[in-house]
Amino acid sequence: MSGERVRDGAVGADDAPEIDGEWPLRRLLTEGGIGSGPKTADDMSYEQSREAFDRVLVGNPDPATLGAFLLANRWKESTPEELAGFADSMRERSVVSATPDADPVDCGGNYDGKQKTAVLGVASGLVAAAAGTPVVAHSGPSLPAKHGTTYGDVLAALGVPTDLDPADSAAMTDEVGFGFYAQSRFNPLVHDLRETRESVGVRTSINTVETLANPANAPVHFGSFYHLSYAERIAGTVRESTELPFERVVMAQGMEGYDDVRPGTTRVAEWAAESGTEGGRIEDDEVETANFGVEFERDDLRVEDLPADSARVTEAVLSGERDGPFADAVALNAGFRIYAGGGAESVGAGVERARDALADGSAAKRLDALRAFEP
């Protein structure tokens, strides 16, 4: 048995001085076969992957071995069982959750952010909240490969406090209907891996599992995908996990890999624990966003200074000073969140509820409440 020591000051350092297991990262790369290349690499079992991520988080592996392990998993593409092991280790070892009284929709847009189009999640989350569907978002400073703009950047540009303890984030969720959880506060050991991830320079499996950290213990996750196979992988991860409390996953094709839904013909994927589906099998369908009364193209949402311009779009749309493509895009994305959270029977009905919240001024009041929140 190998015993990699936990780092000084890490979560669990006092009560878990050693990792009980047989698979140090180097052994997984060689004897375990995950380092043999993208076409011939072996997959890890759930138990191996959970132990491996324990070592990543608190085992203090040397940087070269850690980088090789992360790249090997990228090359071979992690399975749902492996991602579930990573996520469950993260939830046990690192995540400090704080559950609000509300049952929010969890939005963990990819932490590498967006580079070209406005970030709409803050605006659409506040609109959904005004329509009765609480929303939580989480992020950290942007990461490879995009180094784009994230939820936290837009909130900071709006003057909203983001460096919150998880308990304060839960209080924000209950007080405003929209809450933000900062990775450095609720997921510190994953946050501490940023230097290594910068050195590796590409997306790895950590980019996937951190979006599922679920610091509010929300019952529903809303996310995005480019290829349907990614949605199936996320659904399979949630099903194989023993620590993630999600009961439902709703995903749509997003712009720039983020959870802002793309216009036009868009695929939607859903998974529910109660449906009895096997593995990651999901229900999927195509929708035409124009059928919801929204008319915009991706280029209509391009901005120059993403944090500042995304904040200005949020203010203008919620105050009623701006209509057209941005207002349509916010209503569409709010509608998806309302639908995901059970506040509407269809996305179209969710969009109608979103439009009502914009028209009657209740969405603007949610932005005022967010700005007035004091930890």
Side-chain angles (χ1 to χ4, degrees):
M1 179 183 73
S2 170
E4 290 177 349
R5 297 279 178 179
V6 301
R7 296 176 290 181
D8 291 341
V11 173
D14 292 335
D15 56 5
E18 293 189 353
I19 296 171
D20 185 17
E22 299 289 340
W23 290 96
L25 300 186
R26 188 168 298 178
R27 185 181 178 200
L28 282 169
L29 287 164
T30 54
E31 295 178 48
I34 70 167
S36 62
K39 294 184 178 179
T40 59
D42 293 327
D43 295 326
M44 292 179 284
S45 67
Y46 168 85
E47 292 76 16
Q48 286 176 317
S49 62
R50 185 161 181 166
E51 178 188 333
F53 214 67
D54 284 348
R55 297 182 186 279
V56 169
L57 294 177
V58 298
N60 197 24
D62 69 86
T65 300
L66 176 56
F69 176 78
L70 295 177
L71 284 173
N73 279 276
R74 173 182 170 84
W75 289 333
K76 77 173 196 62
E77 192 171 277
S78 295
T79 67
E81 291 81 4
E82 291 172 328
L83 291 171
F86 295 162
D88 289 352
S89 169
M90 175 183 66
R91 289 274 298 180
E92 178 189 16
R93 297 275 184 175
S94 183
V95 171
V96 181
S97 61
T99 309
D101 293 331
D103 286 330
V105 175
D106 172 80
C107 296
N110 291 334
Y111 281 30
D112 59 357
K114 295 176 77 179
Q115 293 178 316
K116 300 175 182 178
T117 56
V119 175
L120 305 173
V122 174
S124 58
L126 288 166
V127 173
T133 298
V135 171
V136 297
H138 48 95
S139 72
S142 63
L143 285 160
K146 290 196 189 83
H147 287 291
T149 295
T150 67
Y151 277 106
D153 297 323
V154 178
L155 288 165
L158 286 166
V160 177
T162 57
D163 187 23
L164 302 174
D165 287 331
D168 291 327
S169 299
M172 176 189 280
T173 307
D174 286 327
E175 184 175 318
V176 179
F178 176 92
F180 176 75
Y181 289 72
Q183 186 187 56
S184 61
R185 294 297 193 101
F186 80 85
N187 200 356
L189 297 184
V190 169
H191 184 79
D192 287 348
L193 295 171
R194 301 181 73 83
E195 183 177 349
T196 296
R197 296 169 71 183
E198 290 282 359
S199 298
V200 171
V202 296
R203 287 178 56 85
T204 69
S205 298
I206 299 176
N207 292 66
T208 299
V209 297
E210 66 189 351
T211 68
L212 299 174
N214 196 6
N217 293 321
V220 177
H221 174 72
F222 176 73
S224 70
F225 62 91
Y226 185 76
H227 295 294
L228 189 63
S229 60
Y230 183 78
E232 293 170 340
R233 195 174 307 131
I234 294 297
T237 298
V238 172
R239 184 182 186 279
E240 296 298 325
S241 166
T242 63
E243 304 287 341
L244 290 171
F246 293 124
E247 299 169 3
R248 186 182 186 201
V249 174
V250 178
M251 304 184 74
Q253 287 182 305
M255 293 181 286
E256 300 184 59
Y258 214 64
D259 59 3
D260 292 333
V261 180
R262 78 180 191 185
T265 303
T266 298
R267 296 198 72 82
V268 181
E270 300 183 42
W271 175 89
E274 63 183 16
S275 67
T277 57
E278 297 179 358
R281 187 164 58 85
I282 56 178
E283 296 181 3
D284 69 284
D285 198 3
E286 280 190 351
V287 299
E288 295 289 341
T289 59
N291 292 340
F292 306 139
V294 296
E295 296 285 352
F296 67 97
E297 300 293 335
R298 190 176 320 198
D299 285 347
D300 294 332
L301 308 182
R302 286 182 177 269
V303 293
E304 294 297 326
D305 184 340
L306 258 73
D309 289 343
S310 297
R312 283 192 284 269
V313 165
T314 299
E315 293 172 321
V317 170
L318 269 58
S319 68
E321 296 175 2
R322 189 166 193 167
D323 54 15
F326 281 107
D328 280 352
V330 169
L332 175 66
N333 280 277
F336 266 93
R337 286 156 174 78
I338 294 166
Y339 169 69
E345 293 185 356
S346 67
V347 175
V351 173
E352 289 303 312
R353 295 203 61 186
R355 290 193 184 281
D356 290 342
L358 284 166
D360 66 16
S362 56
K365 292 178 181 178
R366 291 302 88 208
L367 177 58
D368 292 341
L370 182 64
R371 283 175 151 162
F373 176 77
E374 295 183 359

